[in-house]
Amino acid sequence: MQDKKDAAQRSDARRNRERILEVAVAELTRCPDAPLSAIAKKAGVGQGTFYRNFPHREALVLEIYRYEMQHVADAAAQLLETREPDRALREWMDRLARFAMTKAGLADAIRTATSRPGGPAKPGHAPVSSAAGLLLRANEQAGTIRPGVSPDDFLLAIAGLWQLDPGSDWQPRAARLLDLVMDGLRAGAPGK
């Protein structure tokens, strides 16, 4: 009986943590100085639950960054299960653009969290790089993109996403940029 109770408590704790992160993304993107108490209240959790998960603002901000990045990375395999490789890659690029805009909205909070001496380091982009590699390999095997494109090449090619203003109507511009990158990846593909 204790195992079921423990599993239910872990499940509740996981849901609380995810709810906090979802609310925090929206609130901190809107206002980097949003009070943590307001985030806890909107997430429907008590202060104790909030601070047990995130003892300080920096912990919350860095976890948001990791959480959002992991969701984008996980989407790569999910898209490949249901779409042709080139369609999966292009849709994943759109998700990456949304992540870039969320990250841009959190940039001040991330900079504050990682800039003080002895503070935590900014998380690396390894999950996104791995996801890009998965999609690129699938497309290379399908003959839908030119061979030999590395995840680093790909990330450099789409780096313009991080220059877009998240407060603007960024979606049409991101779509044009990503279509250009996709056209470049297709040029020289053996299947074309």
Side-chain angles (χ1 to χ4, degrees), residues 90 94 161 164 170-180:
R90 184 60 187 84
D94 287 335
L161 287 174
L164 299 176
W170 59 268
Q171 292 93 339
R173 192 153 191 206
R176 282 191 309 275
L177 174 68
L178 296 175
D179 285 343
L180 285 169

Side-chain angles (χ1 to χ4, degrees), residues 64-73 99 123-128:
I64 288 169
Y65 184 81
R66 280 189 284 274
Y67 177 79
E68 291 290 303
M69 187 183 335
Q70 193 60 55
H71 275 304
V72 170
F99 168 70
H125 64 273
V128 169

Side-chain angles (χ1 to χ4, degrees), residues 1-189:
M1 189 66 159
Q2 186 64 25
D3 286 341
K4 286 184 180 182
K5 185 178 178 184
D6 288 346
Q9 286 175 335
R10 284 191 302 272
S11 178
D12 285 346
R14 188 173 43 255
R15 278 193 304 273
N16 285 340
R17 184 176 178 81
E18 287 179 6
R19 202 166 41 251
I20 292 167
L21 289 170
E22 288 166 7
V23 169
V25 167
E27 292 300 307
L28 292 175
T29 298
R30 186 181 56 73
C31 175
D33 296 327
L36 299 182
S37 58
I39 293 170
K41 185 175 181 177
K42 282 189 175 186
V45 299
Q47 296 291 321
T49 297
F50 183 91
Y51 285 106
R52 192 170 32 258
N53 282 281
F54 305 104
H56 45 76
R57 179 175 292 274
E58 291 83 7
L60 175 64
V61 168
L62 293 175
E63 185 57 26
I64 288 169
Y65 184 81
R66 280 189 284 274
Y67 177 79
E68 291 290 303
M69 187 183 335
Q70 193 60 55
H71 275 304
V72 170
D74 292 345
Q78 295 163 359
L79 288 166
L80 280 171
E81 289 175 8
T82 58
R83 289 159 180 72
E84 293 298 317
D86 59 336
R87 194 68 235 142
L89 176 59
R90 184 60 187 84
E91 286 186 36
W92 185 77
M93 291 164 71
D94 287 335
R95 291 180 188 209
L96 187 60
R98 285 191 299 276
F99 168 70
M101 293 302 99
T102 299
K103 181 182 169 280
L106 291 170
D108 289 339
I110 292 169
R111 200 172 6 267
T112 300
T114 59
S115 65
R116 53 184 176 81
K122 181 179 173 185
H125 64 273
V128 169
S129 185
S130 294
L134 176 70
L135 288 158
L136 292 169
R137 282 190 308 277
N139 275 276
E140 191 171 330
Q141 289 171 356
T144 54
I145 66 168
R146 67 177 52 224
V149 178
S150 74
D152 286 341
D153 294 339
F154 173 79
L155 292 173
L156 282 172
I158 64 164
L161 287 174
W162 280 266
Q163 302 305 312
L164 299 176
D165 177 4
S168 70
D169 185 22
W170 59 268
Q171 292 93 339
R173 192 153 191 206
R176 282 191 309 275
L177 174 68
L178 296 175
D179 285 343
L180 285 169
V181 170
M182 199 68 196
D183 289 346
L185 290 169
R186 286 181 177 127

